[in-house]
Each structure stands twice: as C-alpha cells, then as structure tokens.
Amino acid sequence: MTKIKLCGLSRPCDIEAANELRPEYIGFVFASKSKRCVTPEKAGQLKRLLAPQIQAVGVFVEENPETVAKLLNARIIDMAQLHGREDENYIGQLRTLTDQPIIKAFRMDTESDILEAESSTADYILLDSGNGGTGTVFDWKLIQNVNRPYFLAGGLGPENLEKAIKLLNPYAVDVSSGIETDGFKDKTKMTAFVAAVRKEDRI
C-alpha cells in the first residue's frame, strides 16, 4: 500500500481534515523562509490534536541538530525530514542526540543525485524537484531503478498519481502545494488526493 504524507499543515482545521482522511504522515515545516513555517509551540499544539495513528514529520533546512533532536525527543514530531544540504556528518551527529527516524530529501536533477540518495544512511529518502514545495514535477525516468524505498514528492496531484504509482511504486507520496488554495490547505483537495492514492491501492 502506498503511504501518504500531507505536508505543510499549520492550522487546527488542517489537522481535523487529516484525522478524517488518515494519511500515514503529516508534515510540520520549521524552515523560517517557508510560508508554511510553524513555531515549535504551534506544532506542539497541533500535535496534541493529531490522531495517534498519524506520524508527524518535522521539515528542517540546515537547522541546528540540537534543535531538531529536542523536538524529536519531546515527541512534538515523530520523524525529522532534512531538506537542505545536510550531509552524512550531520546525520551522524543527529543520531547521537536522538534515536527517532530521519528522512533525507534529495533534489533529483542528475544521475549523481540518485547515487547520493541511494547511499544515504538516513532511515528514509525523499526524492523531490527544486527546493521542495514548488509544485513542479521532475523527470521520473531518472528514478525508475532506485533500489530502496522512497517518498516521492514534487508536483503530485490526482491527475498524475495513477501514473506515478504504477510507474514507480514509491513507498510513499508527499504533497504540499498540490493540496492548497491561495496558500492554505484545502480540505477538498486533500480529500481528492487521498482518494486518488487509495483508489490505486485497491486496483
């Protein structure tokens, strides 16, 4: 079954929608330059509203490892997603501070990007276009032979999910801008996205 991550949630109504739709993961963005950024305090409030079966992922861009570990160890988030230039040394440092799972995001531009992603020591890898949250699709042919489970991100929506799941069989699909209207999460679009994934799972 293809798992689902709805990323960039920032309001109680977003959490209510997620609780109804039951994705496996939701994402809180802690990158200060993102329009979806939430404070640790806000994330804590939202996490308390989240159904316990759904895991909360914290998205970071080159954040201090101690800050990331603090949020993980306080269970404000269940997993950390590193979306910047964090290297293997950074992952190793974070491992000394927490035993919670790590997702490392990689921008898919060239064959060398694939090799780097496949050799990552992170628990999970996420394959994306650009810097994330851009809503653009990258060339999926690049990753047809990736030999480890991954989160697929970048421009996903009900119109291309069938092709993505059949062609690539990703471990999970990740969406943010594709479920928004005017910069805010849209429950109707969230519902359509989840339904499109679950439909493929039933085929």
Side-chain angles (χ1 to χ4, degrees):
M1 187 178 85
T2 309
K3 299 184 186 301
I4 298 170
K5 176 165 166 270
L6 304 178
C7 200
L9 277 56
S10 61
R11 303 173 298 170
C13 60
D14 301 339
I15 301 296
E16 288 171 18
N19 288 343
E20 285 182 36
L21 296 169
R22 286 290 194 270
E24 285 74 21
Y25 307 96
I26 61 96
F28 296 134
V29 176
F30 295 100
S32 60
K33 291 182 180 178
S34 171
K35 62 184 179 183
R36 305 175 183 96
C37 183
V38 295
T39 63
E41 293 74 26
K42 184 67 178 288
Q45 293 166 9
L46 295 173
K47 179 68 173 352
R48 286 191 287 274
L49 300 174
L50 186 67
Q53 305 95 317
I54 303 172
Q55 292 193 289
V57 179
V59 180
F60 302 91
V61 177
E62 293 154 40
E63 182 59 79
N64 187 306
E66 286 78 10
T67 301
V68 179
K70 185 177 179 182
L71 290 167
L72 285 164
N73 295 334
R75 296 300 189 265
I76 290 172
I77 52 174
D78 304 299
M79 306 170 74
Q81 178 178 319
L82 309 176
H83 221 101
R85 292 171 294 181
E86 300 89 355
D87 58 12
E88 287 295 309
N89 287 335
Y90 183 103
I91 293 173
Q93 191 176 353
L94 188 54
R95 296 256 191 231
T96 68
L97 301 169
T98 182
D99 59 1
Q100 297 302 102
I102 299 168
I103 305 169
K104 178 69 185 87
F106 292 90
R107 176 176 174 167
M108 291 291 105
D109 289 326
T110 66
E111 301 264 347
S112 63
D113 297 324
I114 299 161
L115 296 173
E116 185 183 0
E118 287 184 324
S119 63
S120 172
T121 59
D123 299 281
Y124 301 93
I125 56 173
L126 182 146
L127 310 181
D128 201 353
S129 59
N131 294 317
T134 59
T136 55
V137 178
F138 63 90
D139 183 2
W140 291 341
K141 290 177 185 172
L142 276 172
I143 63 169
Q144 279 185 274
N145 298 312
V146 169
N147 62 12
R148 64 181 284 185
Y150 58 86
F151 286 72
L152 177 66
L156 296 176
E159 70 287 347
N160 62 10
L161 276 169
E162 177 181 357
K163 181 179 178 182
I165 291 170
K166 286 181 176 174
L167 180 69
L168 302 171
N169 190 30
Y171 167 77
V173 288
D174 186 335
V175 64
S176 186
S177 60
I179 50 172
E180 291 179 348
T181 298
D182 298 328
F184 292 97
K185 292 298 178 276
D186 181 323
K187 185 179 178 182
T188 301
K189 290 183 178 180
M190 294 167 76
T191 302
F193 186 92
V194 171
V197 179
R198 299 301 186 219
K199 174 181 168 228
E200 290 308 308
D201 288 335
R202 289 194 296 272
I203 293 173

